[in-house]
Amino acid sequence: GVMKIRESIHSVFLQHAILESGMDVGIVNPHEMIAYDDLEDDMRILCDNLVFNKNEEATDDMLERTTYERACVVARKKRLPLPRKPRGKMPNLPRLQFDYDKVAPKPAVEPPLPTSEAAQNHVPNPYLNSKSTHEKIAAIRAKASNPTKPNLDYAQESGMYPESFPHFVRGRDSLREHITSLFTSRIALYDGAMGTMIQNYAKRNRLEEEEYRGDRFKDWTCNTKGNNDQLSISQPHIIQGIYREYLEVGGSDMIGTNTFSSTTIAMADYEMEDYVYELNYEGARLAREVCDEVTAKDPTKPRFVVGAIGPTNRTGSISPSVEDPAARNVTFDELVDAYFEQIVGLMDGGSDILMVETIFDTLNAKAALYAVGEYLEFTGLDIPVFVSGTLVDQSGRTLSGQTGEAFYASIRHAKPMCVGLNCALGAEHMTPFVERLAKCVECFLHVYSNAGLPNAMGGYDESPTDMAEANKVFFENGWLNMVGGCCGSTPPHIKAIRETSESFKPRKLPDVGRPKMWLSGLEDLVVDDVHNHLGMPFLNVGERCNISGSIRFKKLMMAGDYETAMDIAKKQVVDGAHVIDINVDDGMLDGLAAMQKFVKIAITEPEVSKVPFMLDASKFEIVLAGLKWCQGKCIVNSISLKVGEELFKEQATLLKKHGCAVVVMAFDEEGQAATESEKVRICKRSYDILVDEVHFPPEDIIFDPNVLTIGTGMEEHANYGVDFINATKTIKEQCPYVKISGGISNLSFGFRGVMKIRESIHSVFLQHAILESGMDVGIVNPHEMIAYDDLEDDMRILCDNLVFNKNEEATDDMLERTTYERACVVARKKRLPLPRKPRGKMPNLPRLQFDYDKVAPKPAVEPPLPTSEAAQNHVPNPYLNSKSTHEKIAAIRAKASNPTKPNLDYAQESGMYPESFPHFVRGRDSLREHITSLFTSRIALYDGAMGTMIQNYAKRNRLEEEEYRGDRFKDWTCNTKGNNDQLSISQPHIIQGIYREYLEVGGSDMIGTNTFSSTTIAMADYEMEDYVYELNYEGARLAREVCDEVTAKDPTKPRFVVGAIGPTNRTGSISPSVEDPAARNVTFDELVDAYFEQIVGLMDGGSDILMVE
């Protein structure tokens, strides 16, 4: 049904079948055949993948393209806009590499260390718990139910056993170092099931309600049978006997305490919350005693107590209500408090190691590890921590939905020494999941599986031999450092596993490479290895679950419609978001409640929670509240130095304990960083504090150097894009392993409403910021993102000019294009023809070059010359105007009004002054050469205002109508006052005095003649058109006389007459009529005639130079 698709497939098939394999004949429709070279590039790739079966997605990709082509056919029929073409699979572009990316991995010598001083320096645990007196620890001990004061110290004499491995002495040796030596020299043995052993004991001995209670609880108000942890108090010999059997028969190196359910939360079922400390203390103390007893028999194989911390019977991630996905029956803080009390009891009882085990909800594990971290901080001890997750079925996921890799990514911040799996499955069914963990876990790895799957009666059928054989695959592949058993296993099972494992080497720790940001939702995500749907090495953070990023989301939040809001989140994941940004900041909304409810519901939606979350709020308490409901490793957005250094460190420390990544804004106490230098300075300062003082993992720091709005029309905003891109690279260079993020929509905020413009700007910005500067992360709308190569050429140029501030017109050009794109949107809606696209600024094409275009410029020796022979040859003006007898000149002289025949010649004797510059003799020297010499040796002086000087004269002397007229014009028929040029005839002494003052006082080299208005056009105002020649002649003659007089006093500074030619009072370009723009009050020829007459008078009067002014 889609011929274009079919014939494209045929084209690729035939191209290869014919030309490469020799096919000769085919039954075809010749009219529909498409030439191979006519195929679109992306269509050719799709067809090539399909025909040659190049990848598993080939059919799906072609079906997607088929849907698009079918939709295009429909759109053309209905004259609708064409749908957006599916991108298909984009090739991954390379990530910018910095020096620290090129460091080769090194062999690991131990698992990753916690950041505490004790762990970093392998400080031995002194086993003097009585010295741990923190108020929280003291408060727990104070309310303990122990009938007698418990012993808290377990240090041994330093010389009790030899100092070399495999011996171990408490208080002398680092247990961290001992475990590393043990786990790298052989596969260590854990114990097996406690419950199974208690059940087996009950088969041989009476163990009913009475025995469970014992003397201590004989009057208990509720049934306690089944509370196995209680037996540590009521029947200690049973528990101690089981411990001993695992150590002596099974050969276990470590035994877990009988404390799986010893938390206030789990003990509430038996109303034994007040006995939690004692239960843990006794469970550990009994194990301590037996371990020391067995170790004493063979000090080369020291045995250790593992304080077992179970999951509790409540879960932080899963709702207990089918109707309410936001419901929970326990909080993170309640879990932390419960686990902390358990930990104090376990450590006071003599535990060596803490094991958070059988984790079916990672949020519970995070709470337990948070409590462990608090205990270690309060005591200053280095206690090895093991963590064991439980994958509930063959999906390879925990009960709360996480994969094994996601589980590890969520808890690795606690720096466990050993991580692994236990319970739920037999070894055979665990195999693929153990393999996956072995490929990614940075620390030691363990497994203690069930003895197969339970039978119909709830029992386990695998014999010791069967179970050992099932575990063998782990040993053969070198996946494990420690092995044990869970449900259904017994000391003989452990013995058989031990014997099987003895011939195999333990798992080698993976090499240590550059640290990477490793996030998780239900699935894990290594940010440094991510490519987005456009092939960019870039983490898409979906912006649509942000009140400020989506009007629809805001309305749903305000209405409390969380179910529909989840659809927005799901769509973002489908569209390509790697992380979902959650922001519920609004003055009309209870942000604390809204954040918690949204996260709790989102956690239960697999299509949403499979990706990590970015918890985004302006108030720290809101992100912290959301963080406590996230089982995965998420990002907190944001903290900054704006709050001051101390609070900044306090917030960062708290986030580090929760194991999240953090966005750090480029703000400090002085405000927001806008310039490149400020962005770099604040980020480097923040980095140094976080890494050096807080010990925050640098790979978990995301700097946001502030993407600010460009294209606002304000000059100070124009370089914001460049500043961000440049700062990004510098920050990445100066702050190893950090990420750079930004709210990309901020960049184009000035063009809101036209998504094509905004996303085009973003595309150009990201192309350079990512590939050239190393930007890693951005809050975006993945669905709207445009690939750089998909941009129209002219759009790319416009965006490039705007982002990089290439010219002053960049914003105006983009605004013009925005107007066009907005008009296109309207036209499509109304089904009208599209408007004509603005050309914008066309690129200049190169001009063809000839040989003469390639001649190098030469220094100028004078201004460009007129083409006349006299000018070209610098022929001196002879100053013999009487010899200029052209008929046009003669006609002007003939009608002149001068009362006597004027002198026309001004030549001087050749030897009047020396021949060298700066002297000048008229008729001998070229004035062109003289002016060039003068103007290139110093700045020459012209005169000043004639009108101002006449006005100043009138203030001191009478200068009215009578004086303007003088004797010559006393009977004139109209007023002439104001006709300053007339004064050259009627009051020559005034004009000559002004000339002299400019020359002598001002020091002018040149003076302009008093002839500004001396044209027939301007003189028509005074009816003096017939006097124009005389006015110009006299104006120049008077100047000539004064110049010669002053020159004679100092011939080294000759003075020159500049014939002044004014503009007239009429204009050839402008209409004098508002009504008639074509009207003019003078013609070009009239102007020429008027100016020619003026010029003849000026030159005949002795002018040296002519000035059109």
Side-chain angles (χ1 to χ4, degrees):
V2 186
M3 196 55 68
K4 179 178 176 181
I5 295 290
R6 299 189 67 186
E7 290 301 334
S8 298
I9 295 170
H10 300 167
S11 176
V12 169
F13 174 80
L14 290 172
Q15 177 79 8
H16 296 279
I18 296 168
L19 300 183
E20 297 172 11
S21 293
M23 184 180 180
D24 313 89
V25 183
I27 300 173
V28 297
N29 180 351
H31 175 67
E32 298 289 348
M33 292 175 75
I34 302 174
Y36 182 79
D37 290 340
D38 290 343
L39 291 174
E40 301 162 13
D41 290 342
D42 55 343
M43 180 68 88
R44 186 184 300 116
I45 292 168
L46 288 170
C47 294
D48 206 51
N49 290 343
L50 185 71
V51 169
F52 288 95
N53 189 24
K54 287 190 173 181
N55 58 54
E56 293 179 358
E57 300 84 30
T59 298
D60 288 339
D61 291 345
M62 187 58 87
L63 288 172
E64 182 184 31
R65 181 58 176 265
T66 303
T67 301
Y68 163 75
E69 296 293 350
R70 186 177 285 115
C72 287
V73 172
V74 173
R76 291 188 186 99
K77 284 182 179 177
K78 296 183 177 181
R79 297 184 180 180
L80 296 173
L82 295 181
R84 193 168 183 174
K85 183 188 285 189
R87 292 191 178 101
K89 188 171 183 180
M90 305 288 285
N92 287 343
L93 298 171
R95 188 180 301 274
L96 182 65
Q97 297 289 294
F98 294 88
D99 288 342
Y100 49 80
D101 293 314
K102 301 165 188 173
V103 177
K106 298 176 181 177
V109 295
E110 64 183 331
L113 292 170
T115 59
S116 70
E117 188 175 346
Q120 289 285 315
N121 296 306
H122 297 183
V123 177
N125 177 0
Y127 285 84
L128 300 174
N129 298 317
S130 60
K131 293 188 176 181
S132 298
T133 56
H134 187 277
E135 59 184 16
K136 281 192 71 173
I137 297 172
I140 290 167
R141 290 173 181 159
K143 66 175 184 177
S145 59
N146 304 52
T148 59
K149 186 177 181 181
N151 171 51
L152 306 180
D153 299 332
Y154 302 93
Q156 295 173 312
E157 291 294 324
S158 177
M160 186 171 183
Y161 300 125
E163 291 191 12
S164 58
F165 176 83
H167 301 92
F168 181 83
V169 171
R170 292 194 296 275
R172 181 192 74 186
D173 300 323
S174 163
L175 181 55
R176 183 173 296 278
E177 291 180 2
H178 184 91
I179 291 172
T180 298
S181 297
L182 175 62
F183 281 19
T184 54
S185 60
R186 63 178 173 85
I187 298 171
L189 269 294
Y190 195 43
D191 63 7
M194 175 62 73
T196 300
M197 290 297 286
I198 291 172
Q199 289 170 7
N200 290 347
Y201 177 90
K203 292 174 184 176
R204 303 187 305 271
N205 305 277
R206 176 181 165 83
L207 191 58
E208 300 298 331
E209 179 67 29
E210 182 181 353
E211 284 72 31
Y212 266 87
R213 294 189 177 204
D215 292 335
R216 183 80 180 278
F217 303 107
K218 63 183 179 181
D219 299 322
W220 205 250
T221 55
C222 68
N223 288 336
T224 63
K225 183 181 178 183
N227 184 3
N228 289 345
D229 294 11
Q230 178 186 345
L231 296 174
S232 297
I233 298 174
S234 62
Q235 301 293 338
H237 65 284
I238 297 176
I239 302 305
Q240 211 158 35
I242 294 170
Y243 288 156
R244 186 174 287 106
E245 202 169 343
Y246 275 120
L247 291 170
E248 294 184 337
V249 177
S252 298
D253 297 287
M254 306 169 186
I255 52 170
T257 58
N258 179 39
T259 55
F260 186 82
S261 300
S262 293
T263 58
T264 51
I265 293 170
M267 282 296 145
D269 290 351
Y270 302 101
E271 301 174 7
M272 284 194 175
E273 298 97 314
D274 294 339
Y275 288 78
V276 162
Y277 175 86
E278 185 180 357
L279 288 168
N280 285 285
Y281 177 88
E282 291 300 323
R285 183 187 65 79
L286 296 173
R288 175 81 280 152
E289 289 177 1
V290 179
C291 281
D292 288 355
E293 173 191 323
V294 175
T295 299
K297 295 176 183 176
D298 181 4
T300 66
K301 190 176 181 183
R303 313 301 175 99
F304 298 98
V305 177
V306 178
I309 302 171
T312 83
N313 53 359
R314 298 194 179 186
T315 167
S317 298
I318 302 170
S319 170
S321 168
V322 177
E323 291 78 23
D324 183 5
R328 297 293 186 274
N329 56 14
V330 70
T331 69
F332 184 86
D333 291 338
E334 288 169 347
L335 286 165
V336 170
D337 289 342
Y339 284 129
F340 189 84
E341 184 170 358
Q342 180 175 29
I343 291 161
V344 173
L346 288 170
M347 294 308 300
D348 282 359
S351 295
D352 301 293
I353 297 162
L354 292 172
M355 166 86 87
V356 180
E357 67 166 346
T358 321
I359 296 303
F360 54 82
D361 179 358
T362 311
L363 185 57
N364 286 39
K366 288 174 70 176
L369 291 168
Y370 189 94
V372 170
E374 293 291 273
Y375 180 84
L376 298 180
E377 181 182 337
F378 297 160
T379 61
L381 300 176
D382 177 28
I383 307 297
V385 176
F386 294 0
V387 182
S388 194
T390 297
L391 307 181
V392 295
D393 56 32
Q394 285 302 104
S395 68
R397 293 178 182 266
T398 63
L399 186 64
S400 56
Q402 280 196 317
T403 64
E405 295 92 331
F407 161 72
Y408 175 64
S410 302
I411 57 90
R412 63 188 279 268
H413 66 276
K415 299 293 187 288
M417 271 203 88
C418 189
V419 165
L421 300 175
N422 76 290
C423 205
L425 303 172
E428 180 183 350
H429 298 95
M430 279 187 177
T431 301
F433 314 124
V434 174
E435 180 180 10
R436 284 161 56 179
L437 275 181
K439 290 177 180 177
C440 73
V441 166
E442 301 144 298
C443 58
F444 296 124
L445 187 62
H446 71 252
V447 166
Y448 50 109
S449 67
N450 292 347
L453 295 175
N455 57 33
M457 302 301 292
Y460 294 86
D461 298 329
E462 277 189 356
S463 66
T465 303
D466 294 337
M467 190 174 181
E469 186 62 29
N471 275 270
K472 190 176 180 180
V473 64
F474 303 147
F475 311 144
E476 290 173 332
N477 286 286
W479 291 340
L480 298 186
N481 302 97
M482 183 179 83
V483 66
C486 201
C487 302
S489 64
T490 65
H493 286 85
I494 301 304
K495 179 185 178 185
I497 292 170
R498 172 171 56 81
E499 291 170 347
T500 302
S501 71
E502 284 174 344
S503 58
F504 295 96
K505 291 182 179 180
R507 174 177 176 264
K508 175 185 174 294
L509 286 171
D511 290 347
V512 179
R514 65 153 351 265
K516 295 183 177 183
M517 179 183 286
W518 196 351
L519 305 176
S520 60
L522 297 183
E523 296 167 9
D524 72 311
L525 180 75
V526 180
V527 173
D528 301 73
D529 298 338
V530 160
H531 282 77
N532 71 4
H533 58 303
L534 300 182
M536 304 286 271
F538 186 73
L539 186 81
N540 291 343
V541 179
E543 69 179 3
R544 310 309 285 175
C545 290
N546 184 321
I547 279 182
S548 61
S550 167
I551 293 295
R552 181 167 177 246
F553 182 74
K554 180 177 180 177
K555 289 178 179 177
L556 292 171
M557 285 290 95
M558 293 302 185
D561 189 352
Y562 287 83
E563 183 178 353
T564 307
M566 289 303 138
D567 293 336
I568 294 177
K570 291 174 190 174
K571 187 174 187 306
Q572 289 205 86
V573 177
V574 170
D575 288 339
H578 303 110
V579 173
I580 297 294
D581 179 61
I582 303 169
N583 182 300
V584 290
D585 272 355
D586 190 273
M588 303 299 290
L589 195 64
D590 181 350
L592 200 64
M595 175 65 84
Q596 293 183 83
K597 186 170 183 178
F598 188 92
V599 171
K600 285 192 281 186
I601 295 173
I603 288 292
T604 67
E605 294 279 354
E607 293 174 33
V608 176
S609 60
K610 71 179 183 180
V611 302
F613 295 160
M614 175 182 279
L615 306 178
D616 186 351
S618 57
K619 295 179 180 178
F620 187 72
E621 61 267 25
I622 293 178
V623 293
L624 193 60
L627 190 58
K628 290 179 179 179
W629 294 113
C630 287
Q631 67 168 333
K633 175 166 181 169
C634 58
I635 304 170
V636 162
N637 186 3
S638 62
I639 61 172
S640 76
L641 283 166
K642 179 170 62 175
V643 298
E645 201 167 293
E646 288 310 308
L647 185 54
F648 175 70
K649 287 192 282 190
E650 184 182 314
Q651 292 175 345
T653 300
L654 197 51
L655 296 179
K656 179 192 167 200
K657 290 178 181 180
H658 281 277
C660 61
V662 65
V663 175
V664 180
M665 299 296 295
F667 276 84
D668 67 3
E669 300 87 342
E670 297 175 10
Q672 182 183 44
T675 64
E676 177 185 345
S677 61
E678 281 298 289
K679 293 175 193 290
V680 173
R681 180 186 67 79
I682 293 174
C683 290
K684 182 64 168 71
R685 179 186 167 205
S686 301
Y687 179 87
D688 290 343
I689 292 169
L690 289 170
V691 175
D692 297 338
E693 299 182 41
V694 179
H695 305 297
F696 205 96
E699 69 273 18
D700 284 343
I701 299 170
I702 305 171
F703 281 120
D704 185 338
N706 307 318
V707 175
L708 302 174
T709 304
I710 60 175
T712 65
M714 297 177 69
E715 185 179 347
E716 58 268 32
H717 297 174
N719 223 47
Y720 279 164
V722 178
D723 283 337
F724 184 96
I725 291 171
N726 291 343
T728 292
K729 190 170 186 180
T730 306
I731 292 166
K732 295 272 287 190
E733 288 169 343
Q734 295 186 10
C735 306
Y737 312 121
V738 302
K739 310 294 173 284
I740 302 292
S741 178
I744 306 305
S745 62
N746 292 344
L747 185 74
S748 64
F749 193 70
F751 301 92
R752 58 192 178 278
V754 186
M755 196 54 69
K756 179 178 177 181
I757 294 291
R758 299 192 69 182
E759 291 301 333
S760 298
I761 294 170
H762 301 168
S763 178
V764 168
F765 175 80
L766 290 173
Q767 178 78 8
H768 296 279
I770 296 168
L771 299 182
E772 296 170 13
S773 290
M775 186 180 183
D776 314 88
V777 184
I779 300 175
V780 297
N781 183 352
H783 177 68
E784 297 291 347
M785 292 175 77
I786 301 174
Y788 183 77
D789 290 340
D790 290 345
L791 291 174
E792 301 159 14
D793 290 343
D794 56 342
M795 181 68 89
R796 187 183 299 117
I797 292 168
L798 287 170
C799 295
D800 206 52
N801 290 342
L802 184 69
V803 169
F804 288 96
N805 190 22
K806 287 190 172 180
N807 57 57
E808 294 180 358
E809 301 82 32
T811 297
D812 289 339
D813 292 345
M814 187 58 86
L815 287 171
E816 181 184 30
R817 182 58 175 266
T818 303
T819 301
Y820 163 75
E821 296 294 348
R822 187 177 282 115
C824 287
V825 172
V826 173
R828 291 188 187 101
K829 284 182 180 177
K830 296 182 177 180
R831 299 187 182 182
L832 297 173
L834 295 181
R836 187 169 182 176
K837 182 188 288 188
R839 286 196 182 95
K841 188 172 182 179
M842 303 295 286
N844 290 339
L845 300 174
R847 188 182 301 277
L848 181 63
Q849 298 288 296
F850 294 90
D851 290 343
Y852 47 77
D853 294 313
K854 302 166 188 174
V855 176
K858 298 176 182 178
V861 294
E862 63 184 331
L865 292 170
T867 58
S868 69
E869 187 177 346
Q872 289 285 313
N873 295 308
H874 295 183
V875 177
N877 178 359
Y879 284 84
L880 299 174
N881 296 319
S882 60
K883 292 188 177 182
S884 298
T885 57
H886 188 278
E887 60 184 16
K888 279 192 74 174
I889 298 173
I892 289 167
R893 289 173 181 160
K895 67 175 184 176
S897 60
N898 303 50
T900 59
K901 185 177 181 181
N903 172 49
L904 305 181
D905 299 334
Y906 302 93
Q908 296 174 310
E909 288 295 323
S910 174
M912 186 172 183
Y913 300 126
E915 290 191 12
S916 60
F917 178 82
H919 302 91
F920 181 82
V921 172
R922 292 194 296 276
R924 181 192 74 185
D925 301 324
S926 164
L927 183 55
R928 181 174 298 279
E929 290 180 1
H930 184 91
I931 290 173
T932 297
S933 297
L934 174 63
F935 281 20
T936 56
S937 61
R938 65 176 174 86
I939 297 172
L941 270 292
Y942 195 43
D943 63 7
M946 176 61 73
T948 300
M949 293 296 285
I950 290 172
Q951 289 170 5
N952 290 344
Y953 177 89
K955 292 175 185 176
R956 301 187 305 271
N957 304 278
R958 176 181 165 82
L959 192 59
E960 301 297 335
E961 179 68 27
E962 181 182 353
E963 284 73 30
Y964 266 86
R965 293 189 178 202
D967 292 336
R968 183 80 181 275
F969 304 106
K970 64 182 179 180
D971 299 324
W972 204 249
T973 57
C974 67
N975 289 338
T976 63
K977 183 181 177 182
N979 184 3
N980 289 345
D981 293 11
Q982 177 187 344
L983 295 175
S984 297
I985 297 174
S986 63
Q987 302 292 339
H989 65 284
I990 296 176
I991 302 305
Q992 212 159 33
I994 293 170
Y995 288 156
R996 185 174 287 105
E997 199 168 349
Y998 275 120
L999 291 169
E1000 293 183 337
V1001 178
S1004 298
D1005 296 289
M1006 306 169 187
I1007 52 170
T1009 57
N1010 179 36
T1011 56
F1012 185 80
S1013 300
S1014 295
T1015 59
T1016 52
I1017 294 170
M1019 283 296 149
D1021 289 352
Y1022 300 102
E1023 301 175 6
M1024 285 195 175
E1025 298 96 313
D1026 294 339
Y1027 288 79
V1028 162
Y1029 176 85
E1030 184 180 356
L1031 288 168
N1032 284 284
Y1033 178 86
E1034 291 300 324
R1037 183 188 64 77
L1038 295 173
R1040 175 79 283 152
E1041 289 177 0
V1042 179
C1043 281
D1044 288 354
E1045 174 191 323
V1046 175
T1047 298
K1049 296 177 182 176
D1050 182 3
T1052 65
K1053 192 177 180 182
R1055 313 303 175 97
F1056 297 98
V1057 178
V1058 178
I1061 303 170
T1064 84
N1065 53 0
R1066 298 192 180 186
T1067 167
S1069 298
I1070 302 169
S1071 170
S1073 167
V1074 177
E1075 291 79 18
D1076 183 6
R1080 296 293 185 274
N1081 56 14
V1082 70
T1083 68
F1084 183 86
D1085 292 339
E1086 289 169 345
L1087 287 166
V1088 170
D1089 289 342
Y1091 284 130
F1092 189 84
E1093 185 171 355
Q1094 180 175 27
I1095 291 162
V1096 174
L1098 288 169
M1099 295 309 299
D1100 282 358
S1103 294
D1104 300 294
I1105 298 163
L1106 291 174
M1107 166 86 87
V1108 180
E1109 69 168 350

